[in-house]
Amino acid sequence: MSHARSVAAPPLALLFATPLVFGLLIGAPAPLQLGQAWAQQSSNDAEEWFDDLLLEGGDKGDLAAYELFMRQIQPERLRQIMAGENTKAQLCILRALKWAGRAHPRAAFELVDAGIGAPAEKIDDAATRALGFLEDPWVYAEIGRRLAKLRYARPETPDGRKARGLVAGIARLRYPMRATGVLVRALSERMEPSLERHVRQTLELMTAQRFSSPAQWQAWWKKVQERELTPSEWAHEVVKRRSEAQREIERTAEEFYERLLAALADKPQQLLRELERGLSQEEIPDVQQRAIFELGRLGRLPDDGKTTPERAQALKLLVNRLKTGQNLEFDPLTAEVIKALGQTGDASLLAELTHFLNHDSPRMRMAAVQALAE
C-alpha cells in the first residue's frame, strides 16, 4: 500500500469521527481505540496502515504508535524505528508510551531506553520524560542494573549520555524514596567522576540533603531504611529540609551581597576575594551568576588597551571556571562564563572560546558563537 493511499483511505475518516480524537484534541488522555477503522482492515493491511500513519508523524502518528504498542503489533518494527533516524516517528512512539507504557512496562522500557542519550536532544528529552511514566518496580531495578553496567562511561560517549539520561529519568518516577535507594546503591561502586557527581547532584535535588562522599550517602540511607518511613512521611521531611535550606541560601546570598557592596568602594583586591568566594558557592547559583557578571565587568578591556593586575586576576578566575565546565553536556554557569569572557573584548581569549564551537551540546556551541560575535 502506498503512503498516499494509506492517508486517503476511507478508514481514516472513520478514525477522526470517533470520540477518541475529539478527546485528544481537547487534551483528554483517552484509550486509543480505532474501532470501526481497525475492524474493516485485514491484519496485514491494518499493520501497514498504522505503520504509514506512524511514519507520517503528528497526532495521527501518536494514535498509530499507541495502537501498535498496546496490541503488541510489530514490536520489532517499533524497535527498528527507535534505532533509526526518523525523529518524527520516534517522537510519536515516545509520546504514546506516556499513556501506554504501564500496560507493558518491560517492552516500553526497551523502546524508551533506545531514545535515552540519543544525539538529538528532543529525542533524549522525550525519552527521559516517557521514562517518568513507566511506574513499575521492575523499571526501578532495571535502571539500577543498567547504571551498574554504564558506571565507567565517559560523558561524551553514547553510553555516558545514556547513563545520565537514566539518572534523570528515575528522578521523574512517582516514588522518589524508591528512586533514591537505586541511586544510593549505584554510588556504592566506583564510578566515572562526572557521572558520580551527576548522581550526587540528582540525589541532592530529590532529597534536599548534601553529603561530600558516597560513603556518607550510604550511611544516611541506612538510617532512613531503619526508620521505615512511609512515602508521605518521606515527602514531609523533604519539604521541611528544602524550606530550611532555602532560608539558609537566602541568608548566605544576603551576606554575600552586603560584602560585595562594601568591597565595591575602591577596594579591588577585597572585591576579587569576595567574587572568588561567590564563584565557589555551588549550592547558590544566583550568587555564582552575580560573581561571574562582576568578574566579567572587571575583565573588560579598557579603551586604552592597558591591563591591570585586578583585570588579569578576574580573567584568570573566569578561565579557570571555564575549564571545569568544558566536559559537561550543558552547564548554564559555564555558558554564563563564556558570555562574560566574550563581552571583555579581549582577543587573547579567542582560543578559550573557540574550543566550545565543537562542544557536544548545541546550547554550549550557541553560547560560544554569541560570545565570539561580541
Side-chain angles (χ1 to χ4, degrees):
M1 182 184 294
S2 70
H3 177 73
R5 284 171 50 213
S6 67
V7 172
L12 186 59
L14 294 174
L15 162 64
F16 282 92
T18 62
L20 158 69
V21 177
F22 177 74
L24 288 177
L25 291 175
I26 63 172
L32 302 182
Q33 300 289 339
L34 296 189
Q36 293 177 337
W38 173 268
Q40 293 187 13
Q41 301 286 331
S42 69
S43 177
N44 291 335
D45 285 348
E47 290 179 12
E48 186 177 351
W49 177 51
F50 278 123
D51 190 63
D52 285 344
L53 288 176
L54 173 58
L55 295 178
E56 182 180 302
D59 291 342
K60 291 177 286 185
D62 291 359
L63 291 166
Y66 186 103
E67 284 296 332
L68 286 169
F69 179 79
M70 288 297 287
R71 298 172 186 267
Q72 288 292 284
I73 303 166
Q74 297 180 328
E76 182 59 33
R77 175 60 176 149
L78 294 180
R79 288 193 288 271
Q80 288 173 355
I81 291 172
M82 288 306 302
E85 298 181 357
N86 188 329
T87 56
K88 289 195 299 184
Q90 289 169 350
L91 288 172
C92 288
I93 293 171
L94 294 170
R95 285 194 295 263
L97 290 177
K98 290 196 292 187
W99 307 115
R102 292 183 67 181
H104 308 285
R106 297 191 182 197
F109 182 85
E110 293 302 326
L111 295 173
V112 168
D113 183 65
I116 291 176
E121 286 193 11
K122 59 183 178 181
I123 299 298
D124 183 27
D125 181 65
T128 302
R129 292 176 181 275
L131 179 56
F133 286 81
L134 304 185
E135 190 59 51
D136 187 273
W138 179 88
V139 171
Y140 289 88
E142 184 63 16
I143 291 174
R145 287 188 287 269
R146 299 205 180 193
L147 282 176
K149 294 178 181 178
L150 299 171
R151 65 184 185 275
Y152 294 126
R154 295 186 59 80
E156 67 273 12
T157 65
D159 280 349
R161 292 194 297 271
K162 185 177 291 293
R164 283 154 184 76
L166 289 171
V167 173
I170 198 171
R172 290 176 174 271
L173 289 169
R174 184 177 300 176
Y175 296 106
M177 188 174 176
R178 183 181 292 171
T180 296
V182 172
L183 295 182
V184 171
R185 283 190 291 275
L187 287 176
S188 66
E189 298 189 62
R190 191 178 183 87
M191 278 185 170
E192 192 276 331
S194 66
L195 177 58
E196 179 185 307
R197 184 167 58 249
H198 182 60
V199 171
R200 285 166 56 182
Q201 289 171 344
T202 302
L203 282 169
E204 289 170 9
L205 291 173
M206 291 171 60
T207 65
Q209 290 280 23
R210 177 180 285 266
F211 299 109
S212 59
S213 71
Q216 290 176 332
W217 276 108
Q218 290 156 27
W220 168 78
W221 180 243
K222 183 178 180 181
K223 292 179 181 178
V224 170
Q225 289 179 300
E226 290 171 352
R227 296 174 60 198
E228 298 183 347
L229 296 174
T230 65
S232 60
E233 290 170 337
W234 164 273
H236 176 76
E237 290 199 359
V238 170
V239 170
K240 182 180 178 181
R241 284 196 297 268
R242 282 181 179 152
S243 298
E244 293 171 350
Q246 184 60 37
R247 286 195 292 270
E248 179 63 18
I249 286 172
E250 291 171 356
R251 184 190 64 77
T252 304
E254 185 176 349
E255 290 178 355
F256 171 75
Y257 291 130
E258 288 175 356
R259 292 195 305 270
L260 196 61
L261 289 173
L264 285 172
D266 198 28
K267 298 176 183 178
Q269 285 302 320
Q270 182 182 344
L271 175 59
L272 281 166
R273 285 194 298 272
E274 295 299 339
L275 292 176
E276 184 176 8
R277 186 181 302 173
L279 198 59
S280 67
Q281 296 281 351
E282 294 184 0
E283 70 278 10
I284 314 178
D286 287 349
V287 169
Q288 287 183 300
Q289 289 176 1
R290 177 62 182 270
I292 291 167
F293 173 80
E294 294 294 343
L295 286 168
R297 186 180 61 81
L298 285 175
R300 289 175 187 170
L301 192 66
D303 293 337
D304 60 11
K306 295 180 180 180
T307 191
T308 63
E310 290 79 15
R311 177 177 180 273
Q313 191 174 345
L315 291 178
K316 182 180 179 181
L317 288 171
L318 287 175
V319 170
N320 287 342
R321 177 58 180 80
L322 195 67
K323 291 177 179 177
T324 65
Q326 64 186 7
N327 293 324
L328 300 176
E329 291 185 9
F330 175 71
D331 176 34
L333 287 172
T334 301
E336 289 291 328
V337 174
I338 293 172
K339 178 181 176 182
L341 288 173
Q343 291 174 343
T344 63
D346 193 332
S348 68
L349 298 170
L350 286 175
E352 301 289 350
L353 297 176
T354 53
H355 171 80
F356 285 87
L357 294 175
N358 297 316
H359 199 278
D360 289 342
S361 169
R363 289 183 288 178
M364 295 291 270
R365 296 198 296 270
M366 180 57 68
V369 169
Q370 292 172 341
L372 291 166
E374 291 287 346

